[in-house]
C-alpha cells in the first residue's frame, strides 16, 4: 500500500497533467513548457516518429490552428508512482486545415488515452492514443462505416 507521501506525490503528478491540458486548451504554450523537461522529453504518437518537445510543440500548433476551441474533459485519471494514465473526451470545432483537409466547421468529439511519466514535477515521457479514425470520419475525410446486419441473407 502506498504511503501518505507517495499518495501526495501521485496527486501532485495528477495535478501537473491536469495543468498541462488546461494550458493546452487555453493555447498557453509557455505554461505547458514550464511543465515539461524539454531537454529529455519524448512524445510517442501513433503514425509519427518519436518526437522531442520541439516536435511536440509543432504538433500542438497544428492542432490548435485546426481545432482552436479544443477542450479536454477528463473521464478518468489514475496515478501510480511516477506514471499518470488518463482517459478523456476531446471536443472541438474543425476551423482550420487539418492534415491537408480544409476546415469544415464540423464539431467533433473523440476519445483519447494518455500515459505520462513525471519526474521531479516535469513531464518527461508522453504516450498518446487518440481516435484519429473517428476524427477523420467526423470531419468527412473518411466515410463513416455503416452498420449493417452481418446475418442477413441474399
Amino acid at each position: 500500500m502506498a504511503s501518505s507521501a507517495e499518495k501526495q506525490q501521485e496527486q501532485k503528478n495528477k495535478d501537473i497533467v491536469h495543468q498541462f491540458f488546461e494550458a493546452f486548451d487555453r493555447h498557453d504554450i509557455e505554461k505547458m513548457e514550464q511543465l515539461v523537461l524539454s531537454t529529455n522529453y519524448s512524445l510517442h504518437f501513433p503514425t509519427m516518429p518519436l518526437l522531442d518537445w520541439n516536435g511536440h510543440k509543432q504538433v500542438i500548433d497544428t492542432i490548435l490552428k485546426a481545432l482552436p476551441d479544443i477542450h479536454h474533459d477528463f473521464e478518468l485519471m489514475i496515478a501510480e508512482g511516477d506514471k499518470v494514465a488518463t482517459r478523456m473526451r476531446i471536443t472541438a470545432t474543425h476551423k482550420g486545415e487539418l492534415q491537408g483537409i480544409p476546415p469544415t466547421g464540423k464539431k467533433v468529439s473523440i476519445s483519447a488515452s494518455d500515459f505520462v511519466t513525471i519526474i521531479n514535477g516535469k513531464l518527461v515521457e508522453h504516450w498518446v492514443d487518440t481516435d484519429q479514425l473517428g476524427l477523420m470520419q467526423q470531419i468527412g475525410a473518411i466515410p463513416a462505416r455503416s452498420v449493417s446486419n452481418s446475418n442477413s441473407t441474399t
Side-chain angles (χ1 to χ4, degrees):
M1 181 170 228
S3 70
S4 177
E6 289 170 329
K7 287 182 182 180
Q8 287 177 345
Q9 186 58 55
E10 289 169 350
Q11 184 58 51
K12 285 180 185 177
N13 290 345
K14 288 164 75 172
D15 292 343
I16 289 166
V17 170
H18 199 264
Q19 290 172 38
F20 182 85
F21 284 102
E22 282 181 338
F24 194 138
D25 292 349
R26 291 190 318 268
H27 302 216
D28 189 349
I29 304 301
E30 186 176 313
K31 175 64 176 176
M32 294 172 78
E33 201 152 46
Q34 293 170 4
L35 299 169
V36 169
L37 183 60
S38 60
T39 57
N40 189 30
Y41 175 84
S42 60
L43 172 69
H44 306 264
F45 196 88
T47 72
M48 298 182 106
L50 184 66
L51 297 174
D52 63 7
W53 176 240
N54 287 327
H56 191 175
K57 285 193 298 188
Q58 291 175 357
V59 170
I60 292 167
D61 182 61
T62 299
I63 292 168
L64 292 176
K65 286 178 180 171
L67 307 166
D69 62 344
I70 194 166
H71 178 74
H72 297 81
D73 184 31
F74 291 99
E75 297 173 342
L76 178 66
M77 187 180 292
I78 300 170
E80 184 175 321
D82 63 0
K83 307 280 191 267
V84 178
T86 67
R87 172 87 176 151
M88 63 184 98
R89 173 72 35 198
I90 301 171
T91 55
T93 309
H94 182 213
K95 294 183 178 182
E97 184 179 309
L98 180 64
Q99 297 179 355
I101 301 152
T104 62
K106 293 182 178 181
K107 295 201 177 292
V108 296
S109 176
I110 61 170
S111 61
S113 298
D114 286 53
F115 303 90
V116 179
T117 302
I118 298 175
I119 297 177
N120 296 325
K122 303 282 186 178
L123 282 76
V124 297
E125 187 174 38
H126 193 162
W127 291 79
V128 178
D129 185 19
T130 59
D131 180 11
Q132 294 175 311
L133 176 61
L135 174 63
M136 292 295 125
Q137 288 175 331
Q138 289 176 53
I139 64 174
I142 297 173
R145 184 174 163 211
S146 63
V147 179
S148 63
N149 185 348
S150 61
N151 293 329
S152 64
T153 59
T154 53

